[in-house]
Amino acid sequence: MLDKNGIAKRIAKEVQDGYYVNLGIGIPTLVANYVREDIEVEFQSENGVLGMGPFPFEGEEDADVINAGKQTITTLPGASFFDSAMSFSMIRGKHVDLTILGAMEVAENGDIANWKIPGKMVKGMGGAMDLVASAENIIVAMMHTNKRGESKLLKKCTLPLTGVGCVKRIVTNLAVVEVTNNGFKLLERAPGVSVDEIKKATAGNLIVEGDIPEMQV
């Protein structure tokens, strides 16, 4: 089973040379720490940063340099800062190659719910709405179940949707899953996790074909 850093490490393997990547709030922000050093990647944050680096070491933080989740970040040589209009022009103009988001629920048809729990106070949907509407390659980083042990990979989302039919792949603490026309397809299982455990933790339709390899993290 993976922890949050393990999920980020596995997703980092999906990042290719030359990619422009948007990192959502939560687990996705950790991905920048694990990208291979032999490739060039530009990480974009919707609050107006292009060229984010790993998180700073303790004592080296600059409170004026933050990501969309208000966490302090580092920037790489050549990084740039700009306003929200420019940032969302990049997103809406489909100039981002890969979007990595967190989620509270994902449905077997690729619907995603990640912005609101009914009854809870939230400021608004934020940039997630633009990201899911504009991005063509979305990977979700999430835990497979909630704190009550209930599946977050569902037949149909129960929470208000952020986007419809947009998620392509999901990496959880238990598995790597691809969204297909017939449901979730199991691609890889986390170290020490059996296929049966993943089946029990998945409420949506799970397609299992042949031997499922263990993740290499």
Side-chain angles (χ1 to χ4, degrees):
M1 187 180 299
L2 303 180
D3 60 8
K4 293 180 179 181
N5 285 289
I7 294 172
K9 285 180 182 179
R10 175 58 188 83
I11 292 177
K13 294 178 180 293
E14 303 288 329
V15 179
Q16 298 180 24
D17 189 31
Y19 263 17
Y20 288 87
V21 181
N22 179 281
L23 299 177
I25 296 169
I27 298 174
T29 59
L30 300 171
V31 173
N33 294 339
Y34 300 110
V35 172
R36 285 167 31 207
E37 294 183 359
D38 62 333
I39 63 175
E40 291 190 10
V41 179
E42 295 287 347
F43 286 107
Q44 193 247 22
S45 184
E46 64 212 53
N47 59 314
V49 186
L50 186 65
M52 288 192 298
F55 283 121
F57 292 109
E58 188 173 351
E60 297 180 3
E61 304 94 338
D62 182 342
D64 292 324
V65 184
I66 60 173
N67 61 21
K70 300 181 177 62
Q71 297 168 304
T72 53
I73 57 171
T74 62
T75 54
L76 301 176
S80 57
F81 301 91
F82 35 84
D83 61 16
S84 290
M86 176 67 75
S87 180
F88 282 95
S89 292
M90 293 176 182
I91 293 167
R92 294 170 184 170
K94 300 184 184 295
H95 302 294
V96 176
D97 299 296
L98 174 63
T99 297
I100 304 170
L101 297 173
M104 291 178 278
E105 295 177 347
V106 178
E108 62 184 38
N109 68 338
D111 293 353
I112 180 173
N114 77 342
W115 75 281
K116 184 179 182 180
I117 299 175
K120 299 283 187 179
M121 185 69 169
V122 293
K123 294 179 180 178
M125 188 177 283
M129 175 177 63
D130 294 88
L131 288 164
V132 299
S134 305
E136 296 179 352
N137 189 9
I138 297 175
I139 296 177
V140 167
M142 64 191 290
M143 293 297 171
H144 212 100
T145 58
N146 61 25
K147 293 179 180 178
R148 297 184 297 276
E150 299 165 341
S151 180
K152 296 167 69 172
L153 277 66
L154 309 172
K155 286 189 174 296
K156 186 176 181 180
C157 292
T158 63
L159 298 173
L161 295 182
T162 312
V164 175
C166 55
V167 176
K168 298 292 188 279
R169 185 165 290 195
I170 307 158
V171 180
T172 76
N173 55 319
L174 302 183
V176 178
V177 174
E178 185 176 28
V179 176
T180 74
N181 292 332
N182 298 313
F184 300 117
K185 182 177 180 180
L186 182 59
L187 301 181
E188 301 173 19
R189 54 188 176 80
V193 175
S194 70
V195 172
D196 282 342
E197 287 177 280
I198 297 166
K199 285 180 178 178
K200 290 176 183 176
T202 306
N205 183 43
L206 184 68
I207 302 165
V208 180
E209 297 178 349
D211 292 330
I212 305 301
E214 193 171 276
M215 275 188 229
Q216 301 298 313
V217 180

